[in-house]
Amino acid sequence: MEGQAPSPLPDQVLENVLETVLHFLSSRRDRNAASLVCKSWYRAEALTRSELFIGNCYAVSPRRATARFPRVRSLTIKGKPRFADFDLMPLNWGAHFTPWAQALAQSYPSLRRLHLKRMSLTDRDLTLLSLSFPHFQDLLLTCCEAFTTTGLAAIAANCRLLRVLDLAECVVEVADEEVDWISSFPETQEETHLESLVFDCVECPVNFQALERLVARSPSLRKLRLNRYVSMSQLHRLMHRAPQLTHLGTGSFSASELDPEPDYASAFAASKSLVCLSGFREIWPDYLPAIYPACANLTSLNFSYADINAHQLKSVIRHCHKLQTFWVLDSISDEGLQAVAETCKDLRELRVFPVNTREEIEGPVSEVGFEAISRGCRKLQSILFFCQRMTNAAVVAMSNNCPDLVVFRLCIIGQYRPDPETLEPMDEGFGAIVMNCKKLTRLAVSGLLTDRAFGYIGTYGKLIRTLSVAFAGDTDLGLKYVLEGCPNLQKLEIRDSPFGDGALRSGLHHFYNMRFLWMSSCKLTRQACQEVARRLPHLVLEVINSEEGKADDIEILYMYRSLDRPRDDAPKVVTILH
Amino acid sequence: MATILGKESGLNLKETELCLGLPGGGGVGGGGGGGGGGGSSEVETPRATGKRGFSETVDLKLNLQSKEDLNENLKNVSKEKTLLKDPAKPPAKAQVVGWPPVRSYRKNMMAQKVSTEDVAEKTTSSTASGAFVKVSMDGAPYLRKVDLTMYKSYKDLSDALAKMFSSFTMGNYGAQGMIDFMNESKLMDLLNSSEYVPTYEDKDGDWMLVGDVPWEMFVESCKRLRIMKGSEAIGLAPRAMEKCKSRS
């Protein structure tokens, strides 16, 4: 046998085959299942997982994640729970990216893609990122904060292969000296690799000349979303530089000094690949006709920062036959919604945001427009609808007309509002939704709701993964129905509802299957939470009270499973029960 | 900016008091307007530079604390905006923190728009009934349009412009919102400062300082508005004073 390499052991052959096969497995749920088969499958799966998704940054430590999955190229991490967006969490609560940044820099030299949502990351973190990964391509930050344009400049300057820089709804602080981050993209690079540049949330002016030069030398650029410091005439210049764009965020869409003004419509006509339009941050409705040439091809239109009226909307929407995604303000009123219903037969996703969030006003949209949408847009899959009034009949109608609904989020702005026609609670409407929309996975309820509504949800909402509840329910039974009836429930956020300790206990069998439970201004006591913490050692219960440690009543409970010890970076107002 | 900052303490404390009595425990939900929920259009404080100067000193307090802390936190909550507008009129009913669930960023943008409703920008620009003029401000990337017939006085116009262009203040004007042309030194002070002053192009094509003629006359003769730095407008002063004297 000397001088001859030993032939591989049968086990090893199997492992090689397994690894090769597993490379093709991309769904993380499938991979999770595969990893449970046996130890060798576990190992093979861990070695071949290149896309890692971490739904809660505190569910697992960076060290554990990088130790199990050594060859990750794409990483997604989510931090704060959604209610943090509405100022319900203390400042500096956590979700700091720094420990992750350090771990990643050490363990993943081949990292190509990073997507963070609701994380807090500093300029230092961004700089470290920009210097640690020579192959880095895609950076997506959604609802993140704590960094400034200095961090962006580091990314621009150092990531030579940068393909995607997407900042969505981030809070970008203004640095002490406003950093001209756009100029940090190296001008020596003849052509960049940029495919997507999204910075509409960056609230400071950009150097337009540098931006124009950047766009001019980015032949692969398909997505460009400008902030509101870019005027109409500047937009015009950029569009001429990049007629190949597919996704365009128009910036302010408002006039500038020039007289006479350029022919904006021709720019939109020349951009034949445009399928998605957004922006319109300071819209001057006179300019709306400029986008007509692009409307026929649009599949996505975001007017949610443009307070246009029904008349103005109609002039645009009547051309948009291919529209699938539409975000808009309620300023278009029921009449505008009817126009959408008449034209957009292919609509899949609709979001209607309120211009005015006060509770005592008569809103411009109501059950009338809502029902019109349900009749006209039968393929609807996702709806988010803010209104001041809604009837059960309209909600029932939608449940019948739009059976493909996967996401149903109705927000009646006035708390505890019954059906204005019948004066009944909104139980029957939401009941119909869970009954008839058999694919529903995400539900947000509002209006006057009794335990009955939750009974319906528990009985029929078998696929629901995310449930959002506010100012609803009568007794513990409501929450019990849900915790006992919804086996797929993963994210439950509840505020200002009369659910207490008994209800909490009824979920003990299920809490390990959930990503998190949020309950604020409910009726929980510290004792009950302590009990849950004792009985389920892998649960972390964060109790946030405004007066540290004193009260017995819990103001906020944020509870999640975790493989590691509870975090040590919590602010003083957070007490961790374990 | 002085006018906007001055609103912090009074208005927002009231918000807190009203919020405490809400159903459902009144804990977080009722806690404080400072959380920037439904009342964010009223309580958000504009920040000149957008710096989070206070967050380090405040040390992580929840937005429910004593009134002192509430004030500090108000400044922190609005960290995302560098160009916040003047708060709109206070609401009739108390606003609950974080309700309705609309992100602060969006709420702030809408607050600006609601407050400019007075400016009739939403209506189709039919010049038949209104006196629409373009308004530009030096340094701002875009223009606005206002209908002068929507206002009754220089003060109204000044308020509306202040909302549209946040760094513009007309605070140095007299009570009537008109420049006191008879007080040469006061006028010179203003024009020597880096404060912004509104100017307009009249029917004759001359650029004048806003406020030199009675309001009704101004509405009729104004063709276009431009807000510029006082130091740049200084050349207009003598002529403005002449015209004013000749008209009175």
Side-chain angles (χ1 to χ4, degrees):
Chain A
M1 287 299 222
E2 274 189 35
Q4 203 181 10
S7 47
L9 303 162
D11 277 351
Q12 194 147 12
V13 171
L14 195 62
E15 279 214 20
N16 291 345
V17 169
L18 190 58
E19 276 187 35
T20 310
V21 168
L22 285 178
H23 267 297
F24 292 99
L25 210 60
S26 49
S27 147
R28 67 176 190 266
R29 293 195 174 95
D30 289 345
R31 283 187 157 272
N32 291 346
S35 70
L36 293 174
V37 169
C38 64
K39 277 211 165 105
S40 74
W41 278 56
Y42 177 95
R43 267 196 308 269
E45 193 283 311
L47 288 173
T48 56
R49 192 181 295 218
S50 62
E51 283 173 33
L52 184 57
F53 173 85
I54 294 173
N56 174 4
C57 63
Y58 289 123
V60 63
S61 67
R63 187 200 52 76
R64 182 188 286 262
T66 55
R68 175 170 170 187
F69 301 108
R71 298 189 193 156
V72 167
R73 290 191 171 187
S74 162
L75 180 61
T76 301
I77 310 179
K78 296 190 179 182
K80 295 183 227 180
R82 198 178 70 98
F83 272 11
D85 289 352
F86 316 123
D87 302 318
L88 290 176
M89 273 198 139
L91 299 171
N92 234 340
W93 170 82
H96 301 292
F97 183 62
T98 307
W100 287 95
Q102 291 161 350
L104 299 181
Q106 276 188 347
S107 307
Y108 295 152
S110 308
L111 192 69
R112 282 164 171 49
R113 181 184 160 97
L114 183 63
H115 184 180
L116 302 179
K117 186 167 183 179
R118 292 199 187 94
M119 300 280 299
S120 192
L121 75 162
T122 64
D123 289 338
R124 256 185 151 172
D125 296 334
L126 282 169
T127 308
L128 180 61
L129 282 179
S130 74
L131 296 171
S132 308
F133 309 113
H135 304 286
F136 198 72
Q137 289 175 310
D138 302 345
L139 181 63
L140 298 95
L141 302 177
T142 308
C143 302
C144 293
E145 50 161 22
F147 60 97
T148 75
T149 45
T150 303
L152 295 180
I155 296 287
N158 303 325
C159 300
R160 296 287 164 144
L161 299 179
L162 197 66
R163 211 170 49 169
V164 171
L165 179 58
D166 279 5
L167 308 170
E169 304 199 60
C170 293
V171 177
V172 183
E173 313 273 343
V174 178
D176 278 338
E177 292 140 25
E178 245 175 55
V179 172
D180 183 5
W181 62 284
I182 290 281
S183 305
S184 300
F185 283 98
E187 305 246 6
T188 51
Q189 229 183 355
E190 239 188 65
E191 281 183 3
T192 73
H193 299 264
L194 275 179
E195 291 177 17
S196 175
L197 180 62
V198 171
F199 64 95
D200 49 347
C201 60
V202 179
E203 284 289 306
C204 67
V206 287
N207 177 334
F208 181 72
Q209 286 75 23
L211 176 62
E212 192 175 3
R213 287 197 299 274
L214 179 66
V215 170
R217 66 179 191 281
S218 302
S220 306
L221 197 65
R222 295 284 176 276
K223 282 193 192 179
L224 178 64
R225 294 200 172 125
L226 308 163
N227 69 13
R228 63 191 179 101
Y229 291 84
V230 178
S231 71
M232 198 74 192
S233 56
Q234 290 172 333
L235 171 67
H236 185 259
R237 293 180 67 97
L238 292 175
M239 287 178 76
H240 273 294
R241 294 282 186 184
Q244 78 282 8
L245 289 177
T246 57
H247 296 61
L248 175 65
T250 62
S252 68
F253 211 74
S254 201
S256 45
E257 287 286 353
L258 302 183
D259 245 350
E261 297 185 271
D263 179 3
Y264 299 125
S266 72
F268 280 92
S271 301
K272 300 200 190 297
S273 309
L274 275 182
V275 291
C276 174
L277 268 186
S278 60
F280 309 104
R281 299 268 165 156
E282 307 285 342
I283 191 173
W284 193 321
D286 294 357
Y287 290 121
L288 269 180
I291 72 170
Y292 294 167
C295 289
N297 286 332
L298 287 183
T299 55
S300 172
L301 179 57
N302 183 347
F303 268 154
S304 67
Y305 291 101
D307 56 342
I308 53 177
N309 58 31
H311 175 72
Q312 289 155 348
L313 174 71
K314 279 179 178 177
S315 68
V316 171
I317 210 75
R318 63 197 174 92
H319 303 287
C320 301
H321 296 275
K322 286 195 192 165
L323 211 57
Q324 294 185 15
T325 302
F326 185 48
W327 291 24
V328 72
L329 287 173
D330 64 2
S331 57
I332 63 166
S333 74
D334 285 331
E335 194 187 333
L337 289 174
Q338 278 160 335
V340 173
E342 273 159 29
T343 319
C344 306
K345 298 301 177 191
D346 226 12
L347 199 66
R348 312 291 161 114
E349 176 179 327
L350 174 66
R351 296 196 192 192
V352 180
F353 294 95
V355 169
N356 200 325
T357 54
R358 297 211 291 267
E359 291 184 31
E360 70 284 2
I361 62 167
E362 287 260 339
V365 297
S366 69
E367 72 273 10
V368 172
F370 189 81
E371 195 166 344
I373 290 287
S374 79
R375 276 193 305 259
C377 308
R378 298 298 175 111
K379 298 189 196 170
L380 204 60
Q381 292 171 0
S382 170
I383 183 163
L384 169 62
F385 196 88
F386 285 85
C387 57
Q388 297 283 359
R389 61 172 276 152
M390 184 55 58
T391 61
N392 279 309
V395 180
V396 171
M398 183 165 283
S399 77
N400 286 319
N401 294 335
C402 306
D404 290 338
L405 279 174
V406 173
V407 173
F408 185 82
R409 301 159 70 191
L410 175 61
C411 181
I412 303 169
I413 296 176
Q415 296 150 25
Y416 309 110
R417 289 252 174 97
D419 180 328
E421 305 267 301
T422 64
L423 298 182
E424 305 254 295
M426 295 301 295
D427 298 343
E428 299 308 311
F430 285 102
I433 290 287
V434 289
M435 256 187 267
N436 300 334
C437 302
K438 307 209 187 328
K439 303 181 194 173
L440 199 73
T441 59
R442 182 169 179 181
L443 178 65
V445 300
S446 60
L448 180 66
L449 293 169
T450 72
D451 287 343
R452 194 187 181 90
F454 296 97
Y456 288 138
I457 295 173
T459 309
Y460 299 103
K462 296 302 179 188
L463 294 183
I464 292 181
R465 294 204 295 261
T466 306
L467 179 63
S468 221
V469 177
F471 305 101
D474 301 318
T475 71
D476 279 0
L477 276 181
L479 181 52
K480 264 191 87 170
Y481 290 145
V482 168
L483 289 172
E484 288 172 358
C486 301
N488 282 301
L489 194 61
Q490 287 179 15
K491 299 190 274 187
L492 181 54
E493 38 187 44
I494 306 175
R495 62 167 294 179
D496 293 278
S497 301
F499 305 135
D501 299 344
L504 187 68
R505 283 187 205 106
S506 67
L508 284 169
H509 67 288
H510 187 63
F511 290 145
Y512 276 160
N513 296 330
M514 291 177 64
R515 190 178 299 170
F516 72 80
L517 169 67
W518 167 290
M519 287 178 71
S520 61
S521 301
C522 296
K523 290 197 161 151
L524 298 173
T525 67
R526 187 175 286 268
Q527 286 79 5
C529 292
Q530 201 81 61
E531 188 191 323
V532 172
R534 259 196 312 271
R535 291 174 70 172
L536 297 174
H538 287 295
L539 275 191
V540 173
L541 281 87
E542 297 198 9
V543 167
I544 306 170
N545 270 30
S546 51
E547 281 165 40
E548 302 167 18
K550 261 167 59 179
D552 201 39
D553 293 323
I554 305 284
E555 284 174 33
I556 303 177
L557 169 68
Y558 178 53
M559 184 177 92
Y560 51 88
R561 63 190 169 187
S562 176
L563 291 175
D564 288 293
R565 279 195 317 276
R567 65 194 182 109
D568 55 6
D569 62 353
K572 278 184 294 207
V573 287
V574 174
T575 309
I576 298 187
L577 305 175
H578 57 281
Chain B
M1 273 157 280
T3 50
I4 301 167
L5 282 173
K7 292 213 177 187
E8 281 170 52
S9 26
L11 187 62
N12 302 326
L13 295 176
K14 280 224 175 82
E15 290 262 68
T16 316
E17 286 164 45
L18 286 173
C19 285
L20 288 171
L22 280 170
V28 175
S40 68
S41 57
E42 286 78 30
V43 309
E44 301 280 87
T45 321
R47 316 182 91 244
T49 60
K51 284 193 232 190
R52 286 168 62 154
F54 287 100
S55 58
E56 280 68 52
T57 54
V58 167
D59 189 35
L60 327 164
K61 290 212 175 77
L62 186 56
N63 303 344
L64 305 170
Q65 295 274 36
S66 65
K67 294 178 179 187
E68 258 181 285
D69 293 329
L70 196 67
N71 266 327
E72 306 243 275
N73 275 303
L74 288 173
K75 288 168 190 160
N76 294 327
V77 163
S78 59
K79 60 190 185 298
E80 55 248 47
K81 293 298 291 174
T82 53
L83 279 182
L84 283 179
K85 307 302 184 194
D86 211 351
K89 295 190 273 286
K93 186 175 164 191
Q95 300 288 298
V96 177
V97 173
W99 187 263
V102 176
R103 289 211 180 104
S104 310
Y105 182 77
R106 187 176 287 285
K107 264 196 183 139
N108 292 338
M109 306 241 59
M110 290 307 110
Q112 294 168 30
K113 293 186 195 275
V114 168
S115 69
T116 56
E117 254 167 36
D118 307 327
V119 185
E121 271 185 290
K122 283 158 63 172
T123 60
T124 51
S125 60
S126 61
T127 44
S129 53
F132 283 93
V133 299
K134 281 189 182 177
V135 186
S136 65
M137 175 163 134
D138 288 3
Y142 43 77
L143 305 186
R144 297 285 192 165
K145 213 184 244 184
V146 299
D147 178 1
L148 293 176
T149 59
M150 299 290 294
Y151 310 105
K152 301 189 205 63
S153 67
Y154 282 112
K155 182 81 177 55
D156 283 352
L157 175 64
S158 144
D159 288 343
L161 291 179
K163 284 170 189 164
M164 275 189 281
F165 300 102
S166 66
S167 52
F168 165 68
T169 56
M170 241 160 130
N172 291 315
Y173 283 22
Q176 295 135 328
M178 284 171 60
I179 306 174
D180 183 1
F181 283 92
M182 298 306 127
N183 186 342
E184 206 171 313
S185 61
K186 213 172 169 188
L187 181 62
M188 284 305 139
D189 277 344
L190 179 63
L191 295 174
N192 276 320
S193 68
S194 60
E195 291 284 328
Y196 285 94
V197 296
T199 65
Y200 72 103
E201 188 182 1
D202 72 3
K203 281 197 185 131
D204 307 330
D206 294 325
W207 283 89
M208 316 280 289
L209 282 174
V210 167
D212 59 341
V213 298
W215 173 256
E216 294 75 18
M217 207 184 287
F218 167 72
V219 173
E220 270 181 63
S221 63
C222 172
K223 276 186 3 196
R224 205 187 149 119
L225 278 164
R226 183 178 156 200
I227 303 167
M228 61 176 83
K229 286 223 165 82
S231 43
E232 281 184 41
I234 199 157
L236 302 176
R239 229 180 18 190
M241 288 174 72
E242 270 176 39
K243 270 202 173 178
C244 184
K245 283 177 185 158
S246 70
R247 279 175 186 150
S248 58

